[in-house]
Amino acid sequence: MKISYNWLKQFINIDWSAEKTGELLTDLGLEIEGIEPYESVKGGLKGIVIGEVLTCEQHPNADRLKITTVDIGAEAPVQIVCGAPNVASGQKVPVATIGCVLYTDEGEAWKIKKGKIRGEESHGMICAEDELGLGESHDGIMVLDSKLKVGTPASEVFEIENDEVFEIGLTPNRADAMSHFGVARDLKAGLLQKEMAIELITPSVSAFHVDARSLKVDVEVINKEKCPRYCGVTISGVKVKSSPDWLQHRLKSIGLSPINNIVDATNYVLHELGQPLHAFDANKISGNKIEIRTCKSGTKFTTLDGIVRELHEEDLMICDGEKPMCMAGVLGGIDSGVTENTVNIFLESAYFNPVSIRKTAKRHNLNTDASFRFERGIDPNITEYALKRAALLITEIADGEITSDISDAYQNKIKDFEVRLSFDNAKKLIGEEIPRETIKSILTSLEIKVNNVTEAGLGLTVPAYRNDVQREADIIEEVLRVYGYNNIGTTEKLNASISNSSKFEDYKLQNVVGNQLAAQGFYEIMANSLTSPKYTNLSDQLNEEQNVTMLNPLSNDLEVMRQSLMFSGLEAVSHNINRKRDNLKLFEFGKTYHQYSDNRVEQKHLALFVTGVKNENRWNSEAKPSDFFYVKGIIGSILERLGLSRFKSAPVKLDILSEGMSFTVGKKSLVNFGLVKKSVLKHFGISQNVLYADFNWDNVVELAKHNKVKFSEISKYPEVKRDFALLLDNSVSFDEIYTIANQTEKQLLKNVNLFDVYEGKNLPDGKKSYAISFTLQDENKTLTDKQIDKIMSKLQFNFENKLNAELR
């Protein structure tokens, strides 16, 4: 936000340098990001002097050029070649001397140099008004008052505005400082702490009066919730023309282009007081009636930028008796605005609901000076005052007269905020005790009313325009920023405490798993918890009624809290694939949000996304695609790292996966993983396979905490391995073999491993061959051949009887 220092001084009489004032504003929380000089005429007419044309003769080598001698107050007159048709001897003219820099309309600089024009020397330039930036005419040179003294700098003759402009990095909560008056109000409070009691000067509106009640426009606020207050007045007989120089300079200094005196006046008051206004051509208001209401969804409306927009049913509109004329608080309509032919105007000043304005601006992708202020919350108590200020300004610069009383629809007054401040809490938060009288002085300087004072604290009334100060902590922050953060002392002793935390704290386990995944080539992502409600349609297991919906969404695609980490992750996968990053391994720790009938629930998850190849082509190895078993191995390594090696597996029941598995411990789900359905991937424009894993992180952390780590010495006695090649029915799974083996020998059987599967020729139909390794060990002695043979015989017997297996 740009703030003109000259403009600021109209409200507060201060003679500090801009740099010193900027430092105080930064200390007050209005951070100055830069200070830029402003000149109403670029270059400030430096090097331009008043000269007198002594002689003027025809150029011998050019019909349209003249050779002049000009007295510029130097030791001797200079010769200047001039092409202007109106140059003549005896004239007083502006002369750009050698070394002077002039600027084009595009801001490009060009330096005046000594040179020859058609063989004749020229030592400067006699200027037209457009060449100096003093006007637009290029019909000839400027002929000045003959009484001017030769050699006088042109900057002393013409009114050049020199200013310094602050660029303030305004935080979104400081709606009260979105104007020169608001910044001056903060500056006054800061100066008071430096024992400089300076008065805050406010523009007077005492001269406001109705000249004639000849043009009345009725106002009806139909939607009072979206428009708590609406004021309007008519001004007749205006002359639309260019604004006076002083007004143009003010607007140009903060980066605004002057349009005409009516529009410029509304923009001036907007940046002066922070109250947006809008001027309608009163002759274009059908039925002399203004209605503030919404329109039917799909209604066509052409805004000032010439774009035809379709209105939403919740867009608040300013309408006349027949049609919408303006998007309230956002942008005017092309058919109702002020033009050069306008004679009568209806001037609007209002307070609109910030949420309503924000939604409308976001829906139509508009960001205007008015919407910027309305959606953050302006002062509802200056609506009429700003209207009077603008009306007086317009009558002054546009020769109009006020022709109606002010209409002020303000049924439900917006109340100030009541806050209680505890002195003890202030001391705790600030870190030291600020004198109570100082606290009261600071709050009073910020227009916060002290209602009552006790030993314990203060009862306060905060003005409605400070919608960011509604809690005790906000009051303490206000006191601290004006008192000065730099004035809070620091102690020489540093106190610290060591916390006794478990190694199973959530964040510690996240670091362990995150580091492991990073070592395996994964990249961590952080997706937005806000997502589109349409994603619930991709799964029958996601309930639309369980969406946690935003009251004030930024857009339709960020309307609800996510119920699954999958869809935001697939957005990241799609984003990367579209940028030629096809091989991805991503993970995210995040929460899902669910609305149940009796409460809302947050659940923490860890999501993995794997697509493409698991390793790149190398000279000694080929690229291999990521598959289900690769992801299963990753998942297994995570659970093993956390000590969760005993779990049951089952087919996955998620309808967003075409195939997969689920790991559980008891009734608690650990992880669901598998291949994402093609129909889901198609929604995100993904054509390659994506493997997805969803850990219920809350359950993982809970089970890891209660998992007891057991250890034992390495046995002194050797392991023995024996193999079986079993011919089995195709329906038999390795899990069945594993279970039977462990039931047959519970003490000495340490491991069962499937190391080969064969299906094909030389085997009967419906059969397959499993090669299985059994590891046997006794912790107390060496196994004998007799013991080993006995165990293997039992295993063979049980496999043959229970699984109809044959030994090959």
Side-chain angles (χ1 to χ4, degrees):
M1 183 182 72
K2 295 183 184 295
I3 293 292
S4 157
Y5 196 24
N6 286 350
W7 199 344
L8 192 64
K9 289 177 182 178
Q10 291 181 202
F11 297 100
I12 194 161
N13 189 11
I14 184 173
D15 58 0
W16 284 8
S17 68
E19 289 74 16
K20 188 176 180 180
T21 302
E23 289 175 5
L24 178 55
L25 288 173
T26 298
D27 290 342
L28 289 167
L30 303 177
E31 183 180 358
I32 302 300
E33 297 177 342
I35 303 175
E36 295 292 333
Y38 167 78
E39 296 169 323
S40 58
V41 175
K42 193 169 179 62
L45 299 182
K46 294 174 183 175
I48 312 294
V49 298
I50 305 303
E52 182 178 2
V53 181
L54 302 177
T55 63
C56 180
E57 299 176 356
Q58 185 64 42
H59 194 295
N61 303 318
D63 293 339
R64 296 187 178 181
L65 297 179
K66 304 284 180 61
I67 299 176
T68 65
T69 54
V70 184
D71 181 4
I72 59 172
E75 294 181 358
V78 294
Q79 177 173 297
I80 298 176
V81 176
C82 180
N86 65 328
V87 64
S89 60
Q91 294 173 335
K92 295 287 179 69
V93 293
V95 178
T97 58
I98 300 297
C100 169
V101 177
L102 299 179
Y103 296 86
T104 65
D105 291 339
E106 291 75 28
E108 294 181 8
W110 53 288
K111 193 174 184 179
I112 301 297
K113 299 177 181 178
K114 176 183 175 181
K116 283 189 176 183
I117 301 176
R118 294 290 184 96
E120 297 293 333
E121 288 189 355
S122 184
H123 297 263
M125 175 178 170
I126 304 175
C127 301
E129 64 178 38
D130 66 327
E131 293 165 335
L132 296 178
L134 295 172
E136 299 179 358
S137 173
H138 194 71
D139 295 335
I141 59 169
M142 291 184 73
V143 179
L144 306 177
D145 190 340
S146 60
K147 297 178 182 178
L148 292 175
K149 184 179 178 182
V150 170
T152 302
S155 58
E156 297 179 8
V157 176
F158 301 98
E159 294 183 4
I160 305 299
E161 174 99 7
N162 292 305
D163 197 357
E164 291 171 288
V165 180
F166 299 110
E167 182 68 45
I168 298 181
L170 195 66
T171 52
N173 64 306
R174 292 302 308 277
D176 62 296
M178 292 189 296
S179 65
H180 286 76
F181 181 71
V183 172
R185 188 165 47 201
D186 252 26
L187 188 57
K188 176 197 170 186
L191 291 169
L192 190 62
Q193 290 308 300
K194 297 184 179 295
E195 299 182 350
M196 296 175 62
I198 297 179
E199 181 185 359
L200 185 63
I201 305 167
T202 56
S204 174
V205 294
S206 59
F208 181 88
H209 66 279
V210 179
D211 296 298
R213 292 176 176 84
S214 56
L215 178 58
K216 183 183 180 183
V217 175
D218 294 323
V219 173
E220 182 182 5
V221 179
I222 296 174
N223 195 319
K224 295 180 175 61
E225 182 183 351
K226 294 180 184 290
C227 179
R229 188 175 191 184
Y230 191 92
C231 295
V233 70
T234 61
I235 305 173
S236 302
V238 298
K239 296 177 181 177
V240 181
K241 55 187 177 182
S242 295
S243 298
D245 289 342
W246 68 267
L247 178 52
Q248 293 196 41
H249 294 332
R250 285 285 178 263
L251 297 179
K252 287 179 180 178
S253 69
I254 58 172
L256 296 182
S257 298
I259 299 172
N260 60 53
N261 52 356
I262 307 298
V263 176
D264 292 351
T266 61
N267 283 334
Y268 180 85
V269 174
L270 164 67
H271 290 276
E272 178 185 53
L273 301 176
Q275 171 67 55
L277 302 111
H278 188 72
F280 298 92
D281 188 325
N283 294 344
K284 297 177 182 177
I285 300 175
S286 298
N288 278 358
K289 184 176 183 180
I290 292 287
E291 294 179 350
I292 298 90
R293 59 180 173 84
T294 56
C295 296
K296 289 182 180 180
S297 181
T299 301
K300 296 286 194 297
F301 179 68
T302 306
T303 45
L304 277 172
D305 52 11
I307 297 175
V308 179
R309 304 178 188 274
E310 283 194 11
L311 300 180
H312 188 273
E313 60 186 8
E314 292 186 3
D315 291 336
L316 186 66
M317 303 297 294
I318 311 299
C319 307
D320 60 15
E322 298 176 353
K323 61 188 180 301
M325 299 190 299
C326 173
M327 297 177 74
V330 181
L331 190 61
I334 199 167
D335 296 325
S336 61
V338 173
T339 67
E340 59 184 9
N341 298 319
T342 297
V343 177
N344 304 318
I345 66 169
F346 175 79
L347 189 60
E348 162 197 287
S349 178
Y351 177 88
F352 298 116
N353 183 292
V355 174
S356 172
I357 300 303
R358 180 176 178 81
K359 286 183 177 180
T360 297
K362 292 297 179 184
R363 269 193 291 267
H364 297 282
N365 195 27
L366 290 169
N367 183 21
T368 62
D369 282 339
S371 68
F372 179 80
R373 285 159 177 79
F374 276 127
E375 65 189 36
R376 284 161 175 78
I378 61 170
D379 185 356
N381 296 318
I382 67 164
T383 310
E384 183 181 3
Y385 169 73
L387 183 67
K388 289 180 178 180
R389 169 69 172 147
L392 287 172
L393 185 58
I394 289 172
T395 57
E396 177 188 338
I397 64 177
D399 301 329
E401 61 178 14
I402 298 170
T403 51
S404 76
D405 292 311
I406 290 178
S407 299
D408 188 0
Y410 193 18
Q411 186 172 353
N412 299 316
K413 186 175 180 181
I414 297 172
K415 296 180 179 179
D416 294 336
F417 311 110
E418 301 294 331
V419 184
R420 182 77 187 169
L421 171 66
S422 164
F423 291 131
D424 287 341
N425 289 342
K427 181 179 178 181
K428 287 176 184 177
L429 281 179
I430 293 172
E432 69 177 53
E433 187 170 5
I434 296 176
R436 296 181 180 186
E437 288 302 317
T438 301
I439 291 177
K440 288 162 59 179
S441 172
I442 289 173
L443 293 175
T444 303
S445 70
L446 292 172
E447 299 184 0
I448 296 174
K449 183 181 178 182
V450 179
N451 295 324
N452 56 74
V453 182
T454 67
E455 268 313 298
L458 303 173
L460 305 169
T461 299
V462 181
Y465 67 81
R466 290 308 307 270
N467 51 38
D468 62 321
V469 183
Q470 299 185 29
R471 305 170 302 162
E472 182 183 49
D474 300 328
I475 294 288
I476 295 170
E477 183 183 3
E478 289 298 293
V479 170
L480 185 53
R481 72 178 180 86
V482 176
Y483 181 75
Y485 289 95
N486 296 333
N487 294 326
I488 302 299
T490 56
T491 60
E492 296 181 356
K493 184 172 72 171
L494 179 64
N495 296 321
S497 60
I498 299 173
S499 62
N500 181 19
S501 60
S502 166
K503 66 178 181 180
F504 295 108
E505 290 289 339
D506 189 340
Y507 73 93
K508 290 185 178 180
L509 294 182
Q510 282 192 46
N511 287 338
V512 167
V513 173
N515 288 336
Q516 178 169 317
L517 287 170
Q520 292 174 313
F522 280 75
Y523 288 89
E524 184 171 9
I525 62 173
M526 286 185 286
N528 198 334
S529 295
L530 296 174
T531 189
S532 170
K534 297 177 182 177
Y535 288 153
T536 55
N537 299 328
L538 299 177
S539 170
D540 293 333
Q541 294 167 327
L542 296 179
N543 193 336
E544 194 171 315
E545 295 179 356
Q546 292 180 6
N547 279 334
V548 179
T549 305
M550 297 293 100
L551 293 175
N552 183 24
L554 294 172
S555 70
N556 293 334
D557 290 333
L558 300 172
E559 195 172 342
V560 300
M561 306 287 280
R562 60 184 175 182
Q563 292 190 50
S564 169
L565 268 61
M566 170 181 278
F567 307 118
S568 52
L570 289 178
E571 288 176 353
V573 171
S574 175
H575 181 85
N576 279 271
I577 290 174
N578 290 338
R579 285 153 183 79
K580 306 301 181 183
R581 294 179 61 88
D582 301 328
N583 306 318
L584 301 168
K585 289 187 279 188
L586 310 174
F587 74 96
E588 179 187 9
F589 287 99
K591 289 184 177 181
T592 60
Y593 307 85
H594 310 269
Q595 174 73 61
Y596 297 116
S597 57
D598 53 345
N599 64 341
R600 290 174 179 167
V601 175
E602 293 183 14
Q603 297 173 351
K604 200 155 194 176
H605 291 259
L606 165 62
L608 308 183
F609 300 86
V610 178
T611 186
V613 299
K614 57 186 176 183
N615 60 280
E616 300 286 349
N617 262 323
R618 307 219 182 274
W619 66 272
N620 60 350
S621 64
E622 293 182 0
K624 294 182 179 180
S626 301
D627 55 23
F628 175 84
F629 295 101
Y630 172 68
V631 173
K632 183 182 177 184
I634 296 291
I635 293 168
S637 68
I638 291 173
L639 295 176
E640 187 175 347
R641 179 68 182 84
L642 298 175
L644 302 175
S645 55
R646 295 185 178 182
F647 46 80
K648 289 185 179 180
S649 61
V652 75
K653 295 180 180 179
L654 295 180
D655 63 356
I656 51 178
L657 300 178
S658 58
E659 56 185 69
M661 293 183 71
S662 173
F663 291 165
T664 59
V665 173
K667 293 184 178 180
K668 292 187 175 181
S669 172
L670 288 180
V671 58
N672 295 298
F673 63 98
L675 194 64
V676 182
K677 273 187 176 179
K678 297 286 186 185
S679 59
V680 175
L681 296 178
K682 184 179 179 181
H683 184 86
F684 295 89
I686 300 172
S687 56
Q688 61 191 60
N689 287 337
V690 177
L691 292 145
Y692 169 68
D694 179 20
F695 288 81
N696 188 317
W697 188 250
D698 292 325
N699 288 345
V700 170
V701 172
E702 185 65 25
L703 290 168
K705 286 180 180 178
H706 296 94
N707 183 56
K708 294 182 179 179
V709 178
K710 298 178 180 180
F711 63 92
S712 59
E713 294 183 13
I714 297 175
S715 177
K716 299 177 183 178
Y717 303 99
E719 293 179 344
V720 177
K721 288 190 177 182
R722 293 288 187 270
D723 299 338
F724 274 166
L726 298 175
L727 187 64
L728 301 160
D729 294 336
N730 282 338
S731 61
V732 176
S733 67
F734 172 69
D735 187 58
E736 294 176 86
I737 297 172
Y738 183 89
T739 301
I740 293 171
N742 280 287
Q743 289 174 345
T744 303
E745 179 54 56
K746 296 179 180 179
Q747 292 184 343
L748 301 181
L749 184 62
K750 302 300 181 183
N751 190 32
V752 181
N753 182 45
L754 175 65
F755 64 88
D756 187 46
V757 178
Y758 176 72
E759 295 176 318
K761 59 183 180 179
N762 300 327
L763 291 181
D765 291 340
K767 295 288 185 177
K768 62 183 176 182
S769 175
Y770 273 7
I772 302 172
S773 171
F774 302 89
T775 303
L776 304 170
Q777 186 181 38
D778 192 328
E779 303 292 341
N780 302 312
K781 60 183 179 180
T782 302
L783 289 172
T784 63
D785 288 341
K786 186 176 180 180
Q787 287 177 296
I788 297 168
D789 291 341
K790 184 178 179 181
I791 293 169
M792 297 306 295
S793 296
K794 284 183 181 179
L795 290 170
Q796 180 182 346
F797 177 80
N798 285 334
F799 292 150
E800 289 174 347
N801 282 277
K802 295 182 178 180
L803 300 177
N804 196 29
E806 296 179 27
L807 201 63
R808 295 186 67 195

